[in-house]
């Protein structure tokens, strides 16, 4: 999916969260959003996922304006991963994964799809575990399986490693990058961690609601 923010401004009564942001993301591209707390990273993710609307400017999906009429379909085609996992504590891993598709009419077997996604994150054998029985890294894997259960074409991740130690976080980032390729998703990832950002194709730096840098990541020397 191609995604573009065109001259997007998002204002709150006390401050301008985004100020004339132009950002185009190619199909299958991964872009890291970096910058200090409050610089507008989450706001960009919410606008990209159709969970928030710009005050000025527009959001384009595959070259078409994301109008009110298209919002629901766009949200269903978007996966979201959070810093604090946001799993439902009383539900098993599998039921957490299935939560987004339960209220929907779908053309696939939900259980089968849920198990497929748990397998994709390496947790098929923990399908019946409760979140409290899982480690932080495992909880984030369940949350990733949940984000993928509707087979989104766009994956949005907001500080997905922010609550994990660096080794576990590294594993989560590698998993996200592999899944992005496997399921051919476009990805936006907000992070404070420079190493996490460097796993993406591009790093966009924000400050006070504006883009102050936009750099292609050079391939790692060991990948050449
Ligand atoms: P980041 O993700 O880079 O930390 P955010 O996009 O969350 O930044 O926030 C950008 C600015 O907008 C911050 O100053 C934040 O406090 C403010 N903001 C975000 N959401 C709201 C809201 N619902 N009401 C008021 N201000 C908000
Ligand atoms: P998580 O850690 O799970 O990613 P956060 O604590 O980062 O969640 O953000 C929770 C929500 O609070 C976000 O949707 C963000 O837009 C909103 N938010 C951030 N800053 C403000 C603010 N100043 N006022 C109101 N809401 C805010």
């Amino acid at each position: 999916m191609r995604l573009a923010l065109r001259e997007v401004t998002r204002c709150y009564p006390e401050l301008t969260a985004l100020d004339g942001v132009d950002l185009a993301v190619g199909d299958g591209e991964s872009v890291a959003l970096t910058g200090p707390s409050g610089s507008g990273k989450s706001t960009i993710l919410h606008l990209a996922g159709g969970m928030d609307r710009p005050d000025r400017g527009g959001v384009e999906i595959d070259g078409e304006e994301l109008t009110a009429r298209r919002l629901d379909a766009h949200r269903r085609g978007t996966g979201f991963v959070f810093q604090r996992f946001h799993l439902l504590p009383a539900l098993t891993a599998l039921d957490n994964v299935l939560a987004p598709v339960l209220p929907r009419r779908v053309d696939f077997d939900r259980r089968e799809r849920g198990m497929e996604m748990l397998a994709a994150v390496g947790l098929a054998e923990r399908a019946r575990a409760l979140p409290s029985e899982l480690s932080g890294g495992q909880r984030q894997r369940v949350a990733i399986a949940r984000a993928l259960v509707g087979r989104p074409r766009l994956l949005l991740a907001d500080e997905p490693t922010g609550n994990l130690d660096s080794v576990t976080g590294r594993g989560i980032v590698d998993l996200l990058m592999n899944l992005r390729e496997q399921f051919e998703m476009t990805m936006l990832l907000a992070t404070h961690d420079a190493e996490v950002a460097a796993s993406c194709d591009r790093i966009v730096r924000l400050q006070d609601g504006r883009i102050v840098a936009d750099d292609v990541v050079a391939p790692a020397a060991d990948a050449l």
Side-chain angles (χ1 to χ4, degrees):
M1 166 184 296
R2 279 181 299 127
L3 167 80
L5 272 60
R6 303 274 184 225
E7 285 292 318
V8 164
T9 294
R10 181 71 177 99
C11 304
Y12 292 108
E14 303 293 322
L15 65 111
T16 303
L18 291 180
D19 187 6
V21 165
D22 265 305
L23 176 67
V25 182
D27 188 30
E29 195 178 16
S30 60
V31 174
L33 302 174
T34 64
S37 252
S39 57
K41 304 182 293 294
S42 300
T43 303
I44 288 185
L45 295 183
H46 297 152
L47 289 163
M51 290 154 287
D52 189 14
R53 303 292 287 151
D55 294 298
R56 284 196 296 280
V59 178
E60 281 173 24
I61 305 299
D62 290 328
E64 301 217 51
E65 188 71 26
L66 182 60
T67 55
R69 189 171 59 80
R70 294 196 172 112
L71 275 182
D72 274 348
H74 179 59
R75 288 190 196 120
R76 283 196 296 275
T78 300
F80 214 112
V81 177
F82 306 93
Q83 177 171 348
R84 278 174 290 179
F85 325 137
H86 295 303
L87 299 178
L88 294 166
L91 299 188
T92 64
L94 178 60
D95 286 338
N96 268 286
V97 171
L98 293 180
V101 290
L102 277 188
R104 269 197 234 164
R105 190 201 290 269
V106 293
D107 60 1
F108 51 83
D109 183 275
R110 291 188 181 82
R111 242 192 100 76
E112 208 172 282
R113 171 66 67 82
M115 286 307 298
E116 185 193 333
M117 290 306 146
L118 279 175
V121 301
L123 281 179
E125 74 288 356
R126 302 308 310 273
R128 280 197 280 254
L130 293 171
S132 59
E133 298 167 326
L134 299 172
S135 69
Q138 289 175 328
R139 288 180 203 179
Q140 191 60 301
R141 283 169 192 264
V142 172
I144 291 168
R146 175 184 59 190
L148 297 184
V149 73
R151 288 279 172 81
R153 294 178 58 218
L154 176 64
L155 184 62
L156 304 172
D158 200 346
E159 298 282 358
T161 64
N163 265 340
L164 303 171
D165 65 77
S166 58
V167 173
T168 305
R170 185 73 249 162
I172 290 295
V173 170
D174 290 345
L175 176 67
L176 285 171
M177 294 303 158
N178 288 336
L179 293 169
R180 173 182 72 97
E181 221 164 280
Q182 186 182 341
F183 295 110
E184 299 180 327
M185 295 179 290
T186 302
M187 185 167 147
L188 277 181
L189 186 160
T191 184
H192 278 99
D193 184 320
E195 199 190 322
V196 171
S199 309
C200 292
D201 302 323
R202 229 169 103 196
I203 303 180
V204 168
R205 185 170 173 80
L206 289 150
Q207 194 153 359
D208 301 327
R210 293 168 193 250
I211 292 177
V212 293
D214 186 341
D215 298 305
V216 172
V217 176
D222 60 4
L224 292 175

